[in-house]
Amino acid sequence: MKNVVFMTCFEKAPDFLDYKEWCFKTWKYWCDKHDVELLILEDELRDKTIMKPTWQRWHAMEVLDANGIEYDNVALVDIDTMVHWDCPNFFEETNGEFGCVQDKFFLEWTINSIRGYQDFWPDVKFDWT
């Protein structure tokens, strides 16, 4: 089994990025370096008017299972991210548990996400501070 970096990139998406090529290159280099599979979901699971690409990535495990890809851990990354060439293998930092990246730059997104997803975890209270 392998670790997988999973991202969505639909050319029909309204926010299709001109610089995605550079994002892909950084992730491809990092994945090759750490023997991690890079999987880019290019075909919509559902029409983007019904489910935005950022929501479709939450079906990553179903996509991996449907394609017979066995995995230990999966990182969901945005198409507009780049990984630094000497970033350590963060899969080795998680001890097989859930991990996340703290977004210190877009506080509004963090707060809106907490509000938007809170109903999915009624017994958990997210403290954005």
Side-chain angles (χ1 to χ4, degrees):
M1 286 200 263
K2 283 188 121 169
N3 294 318
V4 177
V5 168
F6 185 98
M7 65 177 69
T8 58
C9 181
F10 307 142
E11 288 195 36
K12 298 180 212 168
D15 56 353
F16 188 68
L17 307 171
D18 291 335
Y19 56 88
K20 73 171 177 65
E21 169 189 358
W22 303 106
C23 300
F24 290 153
K25 285 183 179 187
T26 66
W27 281 108
K28 171 116 176 60
Y29 175 86
W30 186 89
C31 288
D32 289 347
K33 179 179 177 181
H34 295 288
D35 193 30
V36 171
E37 184 165 343
L38 175 61
L39 190 121
I40 301 163
L41 181 64
E42 297 177 291
D43 298 320
E44 297 174 7
L45 301 173
R46 291 177 180 70
D47 186 293
K48 67 183 173 302
T49 60
I50 297 169
M51 182 183 288
K52 296 169 88 174
T54 51
W55 281 83
Q56 292 189 40
R57 71 172 160 214
W58 296 112
H59 293 276
M61 280 51 165
E62 295 167 31
V63 171
L64 294 169
D65 291 344
N67 287 284
I69 299 172
E70 294 185 15
Y71 53 89
D72 288 317
N73 298 290
V74 179
L76 303 177
V77 299
D78 288 341
I79 184 60
D80 62 351
T81 62
M82 294 183 190
V83 62
H84 196 272
W85 65 271
D86 68 348
C87 174
N89 186 344
F90 48 76
F91 288 111
E92 295 174 355
E93 306 291 322
T94 64
N95 296 321
E97 296 178 5
F98 180 81
C100 63
V101 175
Q102 183 180 13
D103 187 347
K104 296 180 180 182
F105 302 104
F106 297 105
L107 191 54
E108 181 181 2
W109 274 102
T110 302
I111 293 169
N112 288 340
S113 293
I114 291 171
R115 288 182 186 145
Y117 293 109
Q118 183 63 65
D119 291 343
F120 291 107
W121 295 281
D123 298 329
V124 177
K125 296 299 175 204
F126 295 104
D127 180 2
W128 64 270
T129 60

